[in-house]
Amino acid sequence: PGNMIAASPCNLAKGSVLFAVLVISSVERAYADTRMVRQYTKEAPEIDFPNDAARSSASSTTLFKVDVDWAEFLGKHDMVWNFTGGGDALPSKWTEEAFFGNGLLGGGLRVLNDSNKLVIRVHVGRSDVWDKRAGGSKLSKGNNFQYDRARLPVGFFDLELLGHTVLEGAMRLSLWDAVVQGEVRTERGSVSFEAYAHARRPVLLVKVTR
């Protein structure tokens, strides 16, 4: 296809395959503390206090305290996919894929049958790549910003799997780690995968293991 960047077939009989978009020499992963405690205060409203001491003690009031294990809390809201079979049973559309990104560079991971080939597809996009239909273009719709400045896909990578039917498949998008993890099993074997975007660099990394 015209927007195909590269294709990387995966042989399930071999060890592991690792490929990255915009490869750099090292990829850093930063994990924040899993516990966050904050004190929220605000200035108290004007009240007629009997003396200055009372006014001073009430000038700053603690409204509430948040003591949350954010990793555990967000884990309850992770997006989860479970799928078997082929065709419409697979997360094969952009509205069904797992999204990940860092605000500038992003990706979408889906599993689909394409021309009788079972593939794991990683779409690549950037928030500053969009169409320009305004300025006299015949395709312009006037002041319709969403239409005239629609984002354009940069391309995609396909990882071709052996087999034609997904016997068992699952994906999970971790909101805390911003990582997509999953596994696909066909009649020829299984692979697991992990994908994420670097928080501060324009790098997407996808790791696939047998």
Side-chain angles (χ1 to χ4, degrees), residues 35-57:
R35 182 165 295 273
M36 184 182 300
V37 179
R38 292 181 177 176
Q39 295 278 351
Y40 292 85
T41 62
K42 75 173 185 178
E43 189 174 324
E46 288 296 327
I47 302 176
D48 290 333
F49 292 102
N51 54 61
D52 292 339
R55 177 182 293 275
S56 176
S57 64

Side-chain angles (χ1 to χ4, degrees), residues 186-197:
T186 74
E187 67 273 22
R188 300 288 298 275
S190 63
V191 293
S192 59
F193 52 85
E194 178 179 282
Y196 63 90

Side-chain angles (χ1 to χ4, degrees), residues 161-209:
L161 304 178
L162 297 181
H164 298 283
T165 304
V166 176
L167 302 179
E168 187 177 11
M171 290 194 303
R172 187 181 193 96
L173 173 56
S174 170
L175 299 179
W176 174 251
D177 293 319
V179 173
V180 179
Q181 293 179 311
E183 184 175 2
V184 176
R185 182 169 66 88
T186 74
E187 67 273 22
R188 300 288 298 275
S190 63
V191 293
S192 59
F193 52 85
E194 178 179 282
Y196 63 90
H198 192 281
R200 297 178 300 275
R201 298 180 182 178
V203 176
L204 301 180
L205 189 139
V206 180
K207 180 180 180 181
V208 180
T209 56

Side-chain angles (χ1 to χ4, degrees), residues 129-135 144-151:
V129 179
W130 62 80
D131 202 354
K132 291 186 177 181
R133 296 171 180 162
N144 190 326
F145 182 83
Q146 291 180 323
Y147 182 84
D148 291 340
R149 292 291 187 270
R151 289 188 184 178

Side-chain angles (χ1 to χ4, degrees), residues 9-10 21 31 108 170 172-173:
C10 174
V21 180
Y31 292 94
R172 187 181 193 96
L173 173 56

